[in-house]
Amino acid sequence: MGNALIVDDSSTERKILVSYLQELGITVSTAESGEEALERLNGSIPDLIVLDVVLPGKSGFEVCREIKAGANTAKVPVIICSTKGSEMDKFWGMKQGADAYIPKPVDKEEFFSAVKRLIK
C-alpha cells in the first residue's frame, strides 16, 4: 500500500505507529528528529509522513512547513500525531500544512481512517 516515514523521538510511540502502519501493509522507516527526517527526504520520498510536534532540534511544526515548502515534498501527506492536542495546537498544525492532526494517545481507528484517506 506504499511507504511511510514516522518521525517521533519516543521509541514506544514509534513502535506503536510502526505496528499500525504495518497492519495496513505499509512499509515503514523512522526518524528520531526533525533534522533526521529532512535528511531522509533527500534520499527517497515516502507516500506519507507521520510527524510528532515535540522533537529535539526543529519542532514538528517547523518540519511540516519545510516539507510543504519543498518542491519534491509539497504533495506528501503529513499526519501530525502529538500530545499537544488542544484546539489551538490542531489549528496551528493545519496552518503549517498538515493534512490531519491526531492527538496522542493515538486512537487506532482514527489513525487508520486518516491513513486510508491520505494514501491513495
Side-chain angles (χ1 to χ4, degrees):
M1 185 171 176
N3 59 68
L5 173 63
I6 296 174
V7 187
D8 200 311
D9 59 328
S10 161
S11 63
T12 303
E13 291 292 336
R14 278 195 315 274
K15 285 176 186 165
I16 291 168
L17 294 169
V18 165
S19 72
Y20 286 177
L21 290 171
Q22 287 176 337
E23 260 187 69
L24 294 173
I26 296 170
T27 304
V28 183
S29 59
T30 62
E32 295 181 27
S33 70
E35 291 81 0
E36 184 184 350
L38 293 170
E39 282 176 30
R40 286 180 178 271
L41 293 176
N42 289 328
S44 66
I45 307 298
D47 300 311
L48 175 73
I49 298 170
V50 180
L51 184 59
D52 188 14
V53 171
V54 182
L55 295 166
K58 291 185 181 204
S59 77
F61 290 146
E62 292 173 289
V63 173
C64 186
R65 267 198 312 270
E66 286 192 40
I67 289 167
K68 292 302 185 174
N72 296 335
T73 56
K75 292 191 174 8
V76 177
V78 174
I79 298 175
I80 292 181
C81 291
S82 178
T83 55
K84 297 178 69 63
S86 75
E87 287 306 311
M88 183 50 82
D89 292 320
K90 291 177 185 177
F91 171 80
W92 189 242
M94 299 308 269
K95 290 287 282 182
Q96 307 316 303
D99 298 280
Y101 197 110
I102 300 174
K104 289 180 184 174
V106 173
D107 177 81
K108 188 176 182 179
E109 294 311 313
E110 182 182 4
F111 184 71
F112 280 6
S113 175
V115 170
K116 288 174 183 173
R117 178 172 53 86
L118 295 170
I119 290 187
K120 307 288 186 270

